[in-house]
Amino acid sequence: MAAPETKVTQQEEPLQDGRAAEAKDAAAEATASLGIEVGDTPYSLALSQDQKDIREWAHGFAEQVVRPAAHEWDEREEFPWPVVQEAAKIGLYGFESIAQFWADPSGLTFPIVNEELFWGDAGIGMSIFGSTLAVAGVYGSGTPEQMAEWIPQCYGDENDVKVGAFCASEPDAGSDVSGYRTTAKYDEGKDEWVINGQRAWATNGGIANVHVVIASVDRELGSRGHAAFVIPPGTKGLEQGAKVKKHGIRASHTADVHLDDCRVPGSCLLGGKEKVDERLAKAREGKSAKGQAAMRTFELSRPTVGAQAVGIARAAYKYALDYAKEREAFGRKIIENQAIAFALADMKTEIDASRLLVHRAAWMGKAGKDFESAEGSMSKLKAGEVAVWVTERAIQILGGNGYSREFPVERMHRDAKIWTIFEGTSEIQRLVISRAISGVHIK
Ligand SMILES: Cc1cc2nc3c(=O)[nH]c(=O)nc-3n(C[C@H](O)[C@H](O)[C@H](O)COP(=O)(O)OP(=O)(O)OC[C@H]3O[C@@H](n4cnc5c(N)ncnc54)[C@H](O)[C@@H]3O)c2cc1C
């Protein structure tokens, strides 16, 4: 079948042969820099009907259930169990829905759903999607049997909603994962692991049904000596420490987790002992490829985290836009001033740029592309910083009202800030990107 006819605007002066070749090279280079190979899947920014339907469905829940509840749960600083249960009832919270979102071969559905939910509210959004951190921990290291056993237990069901927690950070070690002190020792006689240590800042820590804990099984190996463990519900020796009173995402529960001689069966070591022993042996010989694998895992999850930040930024931008079209000062709508209109133009441009980075990285991850320039980190870095900047601009556009708790942009600004801190601070993202693009071990 002949290629469809395309209209091409006539060049006034045809390109000289050399210039045409140069232009072709430049085009190929630009395409490659976007992670797209010519002759690959055709490039399209259009969402499928399925993706649009899921977006509309998630948006409906965010608008009708999440938004109206946002202020109350932020003020209460409590985990919004009834809202999470509502999400479970419609199938937005649960093992099956997460599996369905992940199954999209383009990689875009999960970021799209996250953007909508966090547009509704970030604190409630994190309460609904915080369990995916634990799920990602099981998925990243577990055997198929372990995934089948533990992932559904991170969610429970609509009548008995449960959550999961991922506990890696410690009071003295967040960015510096080689500094973790929590240890796991194997008791061969009982085929049990004994875990001791303190975890800090765990989302859902202490209230979770399933805790996924990172612990060192060989401290001399630094981060290469770490392993991931599932702590089953009701295990003795795991206790919630202090609940953190936070600046933002206050509906989301964040707490320390104490592990005192916490014993778990040998089967709770994610990946199984044989595989982990093999990896440790390789690391001792200096052969480990774990750094690459860990980097890939982070690059895969970061676009989704970025999508959450895009949702917050979009919410604040839209609120400010509507406000600017209504509010009058000096006898005209404030949007009629270029200072306000241009700020909104910049906000919208930055948000759309962030979303494009998020979608590119999500697509690359699903398509199995190499993150040669740490494109996942780029998406999280940009979206997090844009969310902070846009929400601050939104407060400015609302003036005194923007600073008041009666208007939501103040909450959105407090919420946005954590996106430059957790899941790798902005500095750590820059470190990852600069190492990837330079090949130099930047410190
Ligand atoms: C609300 C909330 C929820 C969280 N949820 C979880 C969770 O569920 N599970 C979990 O394990 N953790 C969680 N965390 C912890 C979070 O991931 C860490 O706070 C984060 O990784 C930063 O670590 P840190 O606080 O120890 O800061 P530090 O690592 O001490 O960093 C302090 C500052 O120094 C900078 N810095 C550090 N090293 C470098 C460097 N090499 N180059 C340049 N700058 C550097 C950092 O960027 C930062 O600005 C959560 C934190 C919060 C606040």
Side-chain angles (χ1 to χ4, degrees):
M1 200 174 79
E5 259 192 348
T6 48
K7 267 193 177 173
V8 179
T9 317
Q10 191 66 45
Q11 296 272 349
E12 274 181 16
E13 235 186 299
L15 288 178
Q16 301 298 315
D17 275 1
R19 282 170 61 202
E22 260 177 45
K24 211 172 155 194
D25 286 350
E29 204 178 300
T31 321
S33 74
L34 286 168
I36 298 157
E37 284 164 28
V38 178
D40 224 19
T41 322
Y43 187 61
S44 167
L45 292 171
L47 298 182
S48 69
Q49 192 55 47
D50 272 359
Q51 289 165 338
K52 285 187 205 161
D53 291 346
I54 290 182
R55 184 178 62 182
E56 206 176 304
W57 169 70
H59 186 80
F61 183 77
E63 190 172 37
Q64 288 151 32
V65 181
V66 175
R67 265 282 167 97
H71 178 70
E72 177 192 343
W73 292 98
D74 174 60
E75 289 293 328
R76 283 169 68 163
E77 297 193 47
E78 280 172 20
F79 189 90
W81 289 106
V83 186
V84 180
Q85 189 170 24
E86 288 299 309
K89 276 187 191 155
I90 66 151
L92 179 61
Y93 182 75
F95 167 55
E96 288 81 9
S97 55
I98 298 291
Q100 187 202 339
F101 302 152
W102 268 115
D104 172 6
S106 77
L108 299 191
T109 297
F110 200 42
I112 287 170
V113 172
N114 271 270
E115 179 180 331
E116 295 311 317
L117 197 60
F118 284 73
W119 170 89
D121 179 57
I124 294 176
M126 188 51 67
S127 304
I128 292 174
F129 276 156
S131 296
T132 53
L133 291 170
V135 171
V138 178
Y139 185 76
S141 310
T143 61
E145 295 74 32
Q146 288 171 325
M147 288 183 215
E149 180 171 9
W150 298 113
I151 294 179
Q153 293 196 52
C154 291
Y155 294 105
D157 59 48
E158 62 178 81
N159 299 314
D160 187 14
V161 169
K162 305 283 187 203
V163 293
F166 180 75
C167 311
S169 304
E170 295 188 354
D172 294 324
S175 308
D176 179 11
V177 296
S178 64
Y180 292 166
R181 286 159 192 250
T182 299
T183 56
K185 292 211 163 58
Y186 188 54
D187 179 343
E188 205 160 354
K190 292 187 173 161
D191 182 28
E192 284 179 350
W193 287 92
V194 188
I195 306 174
N196 277 292
Q198 184 184 344
R199 289 325 209 174
W201 305 102
T203 299
N204 297 339
I207 62 166
N209 196 38
V210 174
H211 290 77
V212 175
V213 170
I214 306 298
S216 176
V217 287
D218 185 339
R219 287 207 62 189
E220 280 181 18
L221 291 176
S223 59
R224 290 177 304 158
H226 293 167
F229 297 85
V230 162
I231 315 291
T235 302
K236 278 191 195 143
L238 182 148
E239 276 195 9
Q240 182 185 313
K243 181 181 166 188
V244 183
K245 286 181 82 66
K246 302 195 298 288
H247 178 64
I249 56 165
R250 301 195 305 178
S252 170
H253 172 97
T254 315
D256 284 359
V257 171
H258 297 281
L259 298 135
D260 294 316
D261 283 334
C262 179
R263 283 182 169 267
V264 294
S267 58
C268 287
L269 170 61
L270 288 170
K273 189 154 187 315
E274 203 177 310
K275 204 168 155 209
V276 172
D277 281 346
E278 210 175 285
R279 174 167 62 74
L280 295 178
K282 273 194 192 158
R284 284 182 199 109
E285 289 168 26
K287 283 189 196 160
S288 174
K290 184 173 177 285
Q292 269 307 311
M295 158 113 171
R296 184 160 175 80
T297 308
F298 284 130
E299 290 300 307
L300 284 170
S301 62
R302 282 176 179 157
T304 300
V305 180
Q308 299 168 350
V310 173
I312 304 168
R314 196 183 103 210
Y317 153 76
K318 185 65 173 59
Y319 199 94
L321 175 66
D322 292 345
Y323 186 92
K325 285 159 88 175
E326 287 297 319
R327 178 78 175 180
E328 289 186 10
F330 297 99
R332 58 181 181 266
K333 306 285 184 200
I334 61 168
I335 199 167
E336 290 172 43
N337 301 297
Q338 276 194 1
I340 301 289
F342 282 13
L344 286 158
D346 285 345
M347 288 154 78
K348 171 75 173 143
T349 306
E350 290 290 314
I351 292 166
D352 283 11
S354 305
R355 186 184 299 105
L356 284 170
L357 286 177
V358 163
H359 285 197
R360 175 182 72 165
W363 170 77
M364 286 178 73
K366 201 71 182 184
K369 307 279 175 199
D370 287 338
F371 291 105
E372 283 174 2
S373 306
E375 288 85 350
S377 294
M378 278 189 204
S379 69
K380 195 265 178 183
L381 169 64
K382 178 72 178 171
E385 303 234 316
V386 163
V388 174
W389 180 80
V390 164
T391 51
E392 194 270 341
R393 289 284 83 204
I395 291 180
Q396 193 65 24
I397 290 170
L398 266 72
N401 283 335
Y403 200 65
S404 149
R405 288 206 176 175
E406 299 303 311
F407 288 76
V409 292
E410 173 273 343
R411 184 182 70 247
M412 291 167 186
H413 186 50
R414 282 188 286 108
D415 290 344
K417 185 57 196 158
I418 191 60
W419 269 264
T420 67
I421 297 173
F422 66 8
E423 297 280 319
T425 64
S426 287
E427 291 76 16
I428 295 301
Q429 309 300 338
R430 289 190 173 93
L431 202 64
V432 173
I433 298 162
S434 58
R435 284 179 184 169
I437 59 174
S438 68
V440 175
H441 193 75
I442 315 284
K443 293 192 178 65

